[in-house]
Amino acid sequence: MTEETKNYKKEIIKMVEKLENEKILTLIYGFVRRGYREEKAGR
């Protein structure tokens, strides 16, 4: 993982921690969960 990618992860986490809109959080959760599953499956 590059340093730039690590910075992206940190920035994403900071932004998500500040979100309060339930619909946006649900959208992000679904997107991240799908990406996680795809990565875990080796796609």
Side-chain angles (χ1 to χ4, degrees):
M1 181 180 305
T2 67
E3 192 64 35
E4 185 176 21
T5 304
K6 290 178 185 178
N7 288 337
Y8 285 158
K9 285 177 70 171
K10 289 176 187 177
E11 189 173 343
I12 290 167
I13 290 167
K14 287 179 187 177
M15 287 188 284
V16 170
E17 286 177 341
K18 294 178 182 178
L19 286 174
E20 294 183 18
N21 186 310
E22 194 172 324
K23 288 182 181 181
I24 300 296
L25 289 169
T26 301
L27 177 72
I28 292 169
Y29 175 75
F31 180 78
V32 171
R33 184 179 62 185
R34 180 172 177 170
Y36 175 78
R37 288 179 178 171
E38 286 184 12
E39 184 175 292
K40 195 172 178 183
R43 292 185 186 177

